[in-house]
Amino acid sequence: MTSPATIALLGTGIMGLPMGRHLIRAGFPLRAWNRSIDKAAPLGELGATLAETPIEAAANAQAVVMMVSSGAVCETLLFGDDGIARQLSPGTLLIVMSTIGHSEAIALAERCRELGLGWVDAPVSGGEKGAREGSLSIMAGADAVDYDRAKSILEAMGHPLHIGPAGSGALAKLVNQLTVASTIAAVSEALVLAEAGGADPAKVRQAMLGGFAYSRILDQHGQRMLDGDFAPGGPARHQLKDTRAACDVARELGLDLPLLELTDRLFGDLVNAGGADLDHSALLLEVRRRNGMDAGELDRNG
């Protein structure tokens, strides 16, 4: 029987840590690195080897899973002064699960292929809850050979789907994030409108959940809005990064997407008003602030 691939996991934050747990439980030998190494400690307790540097984590690994904050960080880890890409053996598979730009994914994939490395851009949807439950939706951009090599690794963390060639996963994630962000904006405005008009927002949401307006965002984030629970699962600053990246792709393609542009401005205003580290469902507070309603959480974080 073939031994499972040794995996290097770079990034053990809100998403990476539970994803690493699932990799260990699936039987993959794991070496984990995080800039703040204490955040990787729970994986060490489960049997992972903790590495002090990305190069140490990636040495002799058959696959490197990256779950860091941005495309810029991915590029630095791969091709910066202490980048790992040129240290890896040809054939090593890179699985970039961070949300990065479409053009970034294509460019990084090409640079990796020139070094004989495999590539999969495999961003995820499902948030911290999906990461904990191992139920993430995983959108993969890769050639067929690299996807087949990555599939068992991805299945340990969720439900992968091969979208198309390199860059397709990153594009699918930006489409997903556009949809998520604009739906959060719609739910925020709906609850504010209900409140301002004298209806009970909780009962309005309950009624909507039984009709055509149902969505997971209305269900889960709508409840967070009602509870005022804005502890970050997906921080607003990350949502803004994604809407900005989606705007860039739209401009590259010559598209006029006014809803995306408006949603991007709303999240930009939320971040600028002090909500960068609140959950993206805190867009409710920005809508309230714009309408002269109490947005105390923003005031306290501004």
Side-chain angles (χ1 to χ4, degrees), residues 265-267 269-271 273 282-291 295 298:
R265 287 199 298 274
L266 286 171
F267 275 100
D269 289 344
L270 170 63
V271 167
L283 192 66
L284 173 78
L285 301 179
E286 172 58 26
V287 176
R288 292 179 63 84
R289 185 185 69 83
R290 296 168 82 91
N291 287 282
L298 279 179

mmCIF file of all heavy atoms in Angstrom, residues 265-267 269-271 273 282-291 295 298:
data_model
loop_
_atom_site.group_PDB
_atom_site.id
_atom_site.type_symbol
_atom_site.label_atom_id
_atom_site.label_comp_id
_atom_site.label_asym_id
_atom_site.label_seq_id
_atom_site.Cartn_x
_atom_site.Cartn_y
_atom_site.Cartn_z
ATOM 1 N N ARG A 265 -17.371 49.524 -2.243
ATOM 2 C CA ARG A 265 -17.304 50.809 -1.536
ATOM 3 C C ARG A 265 -17.852 50.687 -0.126
ATOM 4 O O ARG A 265 -17.302 51.270 0.821
ATOM 5 C CB ARG A 265 -18.077 51.888 -2.312
ATOM 6 C CG ARG A 265 -17.372 52.350 -3.584
ATOM 7 C CD ARG A 265 -17.900 53.701 -4.046
ATOM 8 N NE ARG A 265 -19.312 53.662 -4.380
ATOM 9 C CZ ARG A 265 -19.795 53.321 -5.574
ATOM 10 N NH1 ARG A 265 -18.965 52.969 -6.546
ATOM 11 N NH2 ARG A 265 -21.089 53.335 -5.811
ATOM 12 N N LEU A 266 -18.935 49.929 0.044
ATOM 13 C CA LEU A 266 -19.516 49.747 1.382
ATOM 14 C C LEU A 266 -18.526 49.079 2.330
ATOM 15 O O LEU A 266 -18.351 49.509 3.480
ATOM 16 C CB LEU A 266 -20.801 48.932 1.297
ATOM 17 C CG LEU A 266 -22.029 49.637 0.733
ATOM 18 C CD1 LEU A 266 -23.151 48.626 0.499
ATOM 19 C CD2 LEU A 266 -22.495 50.737 1.674
ATOM 20 N N PHE A 267 -17.879 48.028 1.851
ATOM 21 C CA PHE A 267 -16.894 47.359 2.712
ATOM 22 C C PHE A 267 -15.680 48.250 2.960
ATOM 23 O O PHE A 267 -15.103 48.231 4.054
ATOM 24 C CB PHE A 267 -16.489 46.007 2.125
ATOM 25 C CG PHE A 267 -17.427 44.899 2.502
ATOM 26 C CD1 PHE A 267 -18.396 44.459 1.615
ATOM 27 C CD2 PHE A 267 -17.370 44.323 3.759
ATOM 28 C CE1 PHE A 267 -19.281 43.454 1.970
ATOM 29 C CE2 PHE A 267 -18.256 43.309 4.127
ATOM 30 C CZ PHE A 267 -19.213 42.871 3.234
ATOM 31 N N ASP A 269 -15.808 51.477 3.257
ATOM 32 C CA ASP A 269 -16.244 52.424 4.279
ATOM 33 C C ASP A 269 -16.299 51.758 5.657
ATOM 34 O O ASP A 269 -15.953 52.380 6.670
ATOM 35 C CB ASP A 269 -17.616 52.998 3.922
ATOM 36 C CG ASP A 269 -17.565 53.948 2.735
ATOM 37 O OD1 ASP A 269 -16.451 54.394 2.380
ATOM 38 O OD2 ASP A 269 -18.631 54.231 2.154
ATOM 39 N N LEU A 270 -16.732 50.507 5.719
ATOM 40 C CA LEU A 270 -16.749 49.786 6.989
ATOM 41 C C LEU A 270 -15.340 49.673 7.562
ATOM 42 O O LEU A 270 -15.103 49.936 8.750
ATOM 43 C CB LEU A 270 -17.341 48.382 6.789
ATOM 44 C CG LEU A 270 -17.222 47.413 7.978
ATOM 45 C CD1 LEU A 270 -17.990 47.922 9.182
ATOM 46 C CD2 LEU A 270 -17.698 46.017 7.575
ATOM 47 N N VAL A 271 -14.389 49.280 6.725
ATOM 48 C CA VAL A 271 -13.007 49.144 7.171
ATOM 49 C C VAL A 271 -12.453 50.492 7.618
ATOM 50 O O VAL A 271 -11.834 50.605 8.681
ATOM 51 C CB VAL A 271 -12.148 48.521 6.053
ATOM 52 C CG1 VAL A 271 -10.657 48.653 6.373
ATOM 53 C CG2 VAL A 271 -12.527 47.059 5.857
ATOM 54 N N ALA A 273 -14.040 52.970 8.768
ATOM 55 C CA ALA A 273 -14.721 53.449 9.972
ATOM 56 C C ALA A 273 -14.297 52.678 11.216
ATOM 57 O O ALA A 273 -14.788 52.956 12.309
ATOM 58 C CB ALA A 273 -16.235 53.339 9.788
ATOM 59 N N ALA A 282 -20.590 42.455 9.930
ATOM 60 C CA ALA A 282 -20.671 43.777 10.562
ATOM 61 C C ALA A 282 -20.961 44.872 9.544
ATOM 62 O O ALA A 282 -21.082 46.046 9.919
ATOM 63 C CB ALA A 282 -19.376 44.089 11.310
ATOM 64 N N LEU A 283 -21.106 44.528 8.277
ATOM 65 C CA LEU A 283 -21.547 45.535 7.309
ATOM 66 C C LEU A 283 -22.867 46.154 7.750
ATOM 67 O O LEU A 283 -23.178 47.297 7.399
ATOM 68 C CB LEU A 283 -21.690 44.921 5.917
ATOM 69 C CG LEU A 283 -21.858 45.922 4.781
ATOM 70 C CD1 LEU A 283 -20.605 46.772 4.603
ATOM 71 C CD2 LEU A 283 -22.204 45.236 3.465
ATOM 72 N N LEU A 284 -23.649 45.407 8.517
ATOM 73 C CA LEU A 284 -24.877 45.964 9.108
ATOM 74 C C LEU A 284 -24.575 47.275 9.827
ATOM 75 O O LEU A 284 -25.359 48.240 9.740
ATOM 76 C CB LEU A 284 -25.481 44.964 10.096
ATOM 77 C CG LEU A 284 -26.680 45.485 10.904
ATOM 78 C CD1 LEU A 284 -27.939 45.457 10.049
ATOM 79 C CD2 LEU A 284 -26.877 44.673 12.173
ATOM 80 N N LEU A 285 -23.460 47.326 10.552
ATOM 81 C CA LEU A 285 -23.122 48.526 11.322
ATOM 82 C C LEU A 285 -22.831 49.705 10.403
ATOM 83 O O LEU A 285 -23.160 50.842 10.719
ATOM 84 C CB LEU A 285 -21.919 48.244 12.228
ATOM 85 C CG LEU A 285 -22.095 47.109 13.236
ATOM 86 C CD1 LEU A 285 -20.822 46.921 14.050
ATOM 87 C CD2 LEU A 285 -23.281 47.380 14.158
ATOM 88 N N GLU A 286 -22.208 49.435 9.262
ATOM 89 C CA GLU A 286 -21.939 50.505 8.298
ATOM 90 C C GLU A 286 -23.242 51.038 7.719
ATOM 91 O O GLU A 286 -23.413 52.256 7.559
ATOM 92 C CB GLU A 286 -21.024 50.003 7.188
ATOM 93 C CG GLU A 286 -20.827 50.972 6.039
ATOM 94 C CD GLU A 286 -20.268 52.316 6.471
ATOM 95 O OE1 GLU A 286 -19.576 52.392 7.521
ATOM 96 O OE2 GLU A 286 -20.509 53.313 5.752
ATOM 97 N N VAL A 287 -24.190 50.153 7.406
ATOM 98 C CA VAL A 287 -25.486 50.593 6.904
ATOM 99 C C VAL A 287 -26.198 51.425 7.956
ATOM 100 O O VAL A 287 -26.798 52.476 7.650
ATOM 101 C CB VAL A 287 -26.337 49.394 6.458
ATOM 102 C CG1 VAL A 287 -27.732 49.843 6.023
ATOM 103 C CG2 VAL A 287 -25.661 48.646 5.302
ATOM 104 N N ARG A 288 -26.128 50.990 9.216
ATOM 105 C CA ARG A 288 -26.747 51.767 10.302
ATOM 106 C C ARG A 288 -26.061 53.131 10.433
ATOM 107 O O ARG A 288 -26.722 54.167 10.584
ATOM 108 C CB ARG A 288 -26.657 50.990 11.616
ATOM 109 C CG ARG A 288 -27.516 49.736 11.651
ATOM 110 C CD ARG A 288 -27.363 48.993 12.987
ATOM 111 N NE ARG A 288 -27.828 49.802 14.092
ATOM 112 C CZ ARG A 288 -29.103 49.896 14.492
ATOM 113 N NH1 ARG A 288 -30.041 49.199 13.865
ATOM 114 N NH2 ARG A 288 -29.438 50.652 15.513
ATOM 115 N N ARG A 289 -24.731 53.147 10.386
ATOM 116 C CA ARG A 289 -23.993 54.396 10.530
ATOM 117 C C ARG A 289 -24.374 55.389 9.435
ATOM 118 O O ARG A 289 -24.561 56.586 9.703
ATOM 119 C CB ARG A 289 -22.489 54.106 10.475
ATOM 120 C CG ARG A 289 -21.600 55.323 10.748
ATOM 121 C CD ARG A 289 -20.127 54.989 10.548
ATOM 122 N NE ARG A 289 -19.823 54.759 9.141
ATOM 123 C CZ ARG A 289 -19.572 55.729 8.273
ATOM 124 N NH1 ARG A 289 -19.618 57.003 8.643
ATOM 125 N NH2 ARG A 289 -19.292 55.436 7.008
ATOM 126 N N ARG A 290 -24.526 54.912 8.202
ATOM 127 C CA ARG A 290 -24.865 55.782 7.083
ATOM 128 C C ARG A 290 -26.245 56.403 7.236
ATOM 129 O O ARG A 290 -26.546 57.434 6.612
ATOM 130 C CB ARG A 290 -24.822 54.992 5.770
ATOM 131 C CG ARG A 290 -23.452 54.474 5.406
ATOM 132 C CD ARG A 290 -23.524 53.465 4.287
ATOM 133 N NE ARG A 290 -23.596 54.090 2.984
ATOM 134 C CZ ARG A 290 -22.535 54.390 2.244
ATOM 135 N NH1 ARG A 290 -21.323 54.139 2.698
ATOM 136 N NH2 ARG A 290 -22.682 54.936 1.056
ATOM 137 N N ASN A 291 -27.080 55.755 8.038
ATOM 138 C CA ASN A 291 -28.449 56.229 8.220
ATOM 139 C C ASN A 291 -28.674 56.879 9.578
ATOM 140 O O ASN A 291 -29.818 57.050 10.009
ATOM 141 C CB ASN A 291 -29.421 55.060 8.021
ATOM 142 C CG ASN A 291 -29.525 54.667 6.558
ATOM 143 O OD1 ASN A 291 -30.194 55.329 5.779
ATOM 144 N ND2 ASN A 291 -28.831 53.589 6.187
ATOM 145 N N ALA A 295 -24.338 52.683 15.785
ATOM 146 C CA ALA A 295 -23.369 51.691 15.308
ATOM 147 C C ALA A 295 -22.234 51.665 16.308
ATOM 148 O O ALA A 295 -21.057 51.837 15.983
ATOM 149 C CB ALA A 295 -22.877 52.057 13.914
ATOM 150 N N LEU A 298 -18.766 50.038 15.890
ATOM 151 C CA LEU A 298 -17.810 50.776 15.074
ATOM 152 C C LEU A 298 -17.213 51.922 15.874
ATOM 153 O O LEU A 298 -16.012 52.214 15.776
ATOM 154 C CB LEU A 298 -18.482 51.328 13.816
ATOM 155 C CG LEU A 298 -18.656 50.340 12.665
ATOM 156 C CD1 LEU A 298 -19.354 51.029 11.506
ATOM 157 C CD2 LEU A 298 -17.330 49.778 12.214
#
